[in-house]
Amino acid sequence: MTTKPTIKFLGYLGLIGSILVGIGEYLLHYSPNILGHAENYEFFAFVDLSHMTVGHFFAVVGLPFYFAGYIHIYQMLRPGNETLARMVLGIGFIAFAVGGIWIGSRSSIGNTVHLKESINPEAYNILLTHYTKHMEVLVQALRVIVALLSIVFVIAILKGGTYYNKWMAIFNPIVILIVLALTGLAIPLIGQHTLPILMNVTHFILFSLSLYQLHNVIKPVQND
């Protein structure tokens, strides 16, 4: 049996996840030089090692809350179509399993960059190449997964019967992500802070809008 307070609680857990992982990723990645030193992960050289350590554990602690957030999304979609809701839930879990593996590796590659001068150049390049092929590629996979999730999310909402108004379909994760990315690139003063934590800002907005609908638009959810 699922009640409105339970769905609300799960949504807030997702929101907490986006904040904790966002803080962690910001500490892992941010420096004033991030936009100009993307090649070969050189921006990590400007990030304090202690910040990377704290950021790593913020991200690790916060990540499980994302799964609760997607159970919230599932419950919001479920009255419309159980199958589509389960697809969003399953794809969401895959997305953050992949994302968790990636973000758990960032402190290690950051420390490697800091050790550049003490590592044989050939060995250093091999390490970076290995990381790119095994870890950085997960970012590309994550974008594809989020795009697929967004398509199913939109279809589920437009079919009707969910706890969302249909305008919520516009605010699917991939559209929010693209808008934030373009804004960050167009306005570097903003982008240097938002681009390093783009997926977290995206989900902060997604979970906030979902909770807004639950609080202010949708009629009270009945036990089912």
Side-chain angles (χ1 to χ4, degrees):
M1 297 174 65
T2 305
T3 63
K4 181 175 179 178
T6 300
I7 299 174
K8 183 191 299 185
F9 177 67
L10 290 166
Y12 277 116
L13 289 181
L15 205 60
I16 290 169
S18 69
I19 294 169
L20 290 177
V21 179
I23 291 171
E25 196 167 357
Y26 189 85
L27 289 170
L28 280 164
H29 291 150
Y30 177 72
S31 83
N33 302 289
I34 188 169
L35 296 183
H37 297 84
E39 188 174 357
N40 294 324
Y41 314 102
E42 290 297 330
F43 64 88
F44 277 117
F46 303 98
V47 181
D48 189 275
L49 287 172
S50 64
H51 288 182
M52 279 192 262
T53 297
V54 174
H56 171 78
F57 288 106
F58 258 99
V60 169
V61 169
L63 187 75
F65 290 96
Y66 266 119
F67 294 97
Y70 267 90
I71 297 174
H72 162 83
I73 298 291
Y74 160 74
Q75 294 292 350
M76 294 291 285
L77 294 172
R78 185 183 174 195
N81 186 290
E82 177 74 26
T83 300
L84 291 173
R86 288 185 179 184
M87 288 176 65
V88 169
L89 178 65
I91 299 170
F93 275 25
I94 292 169
F96 284 97
V98 170
I101 294 169
W102 175 79
I103 201 167
S105 72
R106 300 306 274 175
S107 179
S108 295
I109 189 62
N111 274 265
T112 300
V113 171
H114 274 261
L115 292 170
K116 179 179 180 179
E117 300 305 319
S118 62
I119 300 175
N120 174 277
E122 184 178 353
Y124 180 76
N125 288 331
I126 290 172
L127 286 171
L128 292 193
T129 300
H130 181 275
Y131 181 84
T132 299
K133 289 181 177 179
H134 291 79
M135 290 296 174
E136 195 64 16
V137 68
L138 297 181
V139 176
Q140 309 305 322
L142 183 58
R143 289 168 183 160
V144 174
I145 295 167
V146 170
L148 178 60
L149 182 153
S150 299
I151 291 169
V152 182
F153 179 80
V154 168
I155 293 171
I157 292 174
L158 293 182
K159 281 179 70 69
T162 71
Y163 291 131
Y164 291 120
N165 282 344
K166 290 188 177 181
W167 60 257
M168 184 66 183
I170 299 171
F171 295 94
N172 61 79
I174 198 65
V175 167
I176 298 173
L177 188 70
I178 290 170
V179 170
L180 289 172
L182 293 176
T183 301
L185 292 171
I187 312 173
L189 189 63
I190 294 174
Q192 67 176 334
H193 297 288
T194 58
L195 292 175
I197 57 171
L198 208 55
M199 194 65 74
N200 301 294
V201 178
T202 295
H203 280 83
F204 180 85
I205 293 170
L206 178 67
F207 293 139
S208 295
L209 289 173
S210 186
L211 286 165
Y212 168 80
Q213 294 238 350
L214 186 63
H215 285 305
N216 300 301
V217 180
I218 309 304
K219 295 178 180 179
V221 178
Q222 302 298 319
N223 292 349
D224 54 41

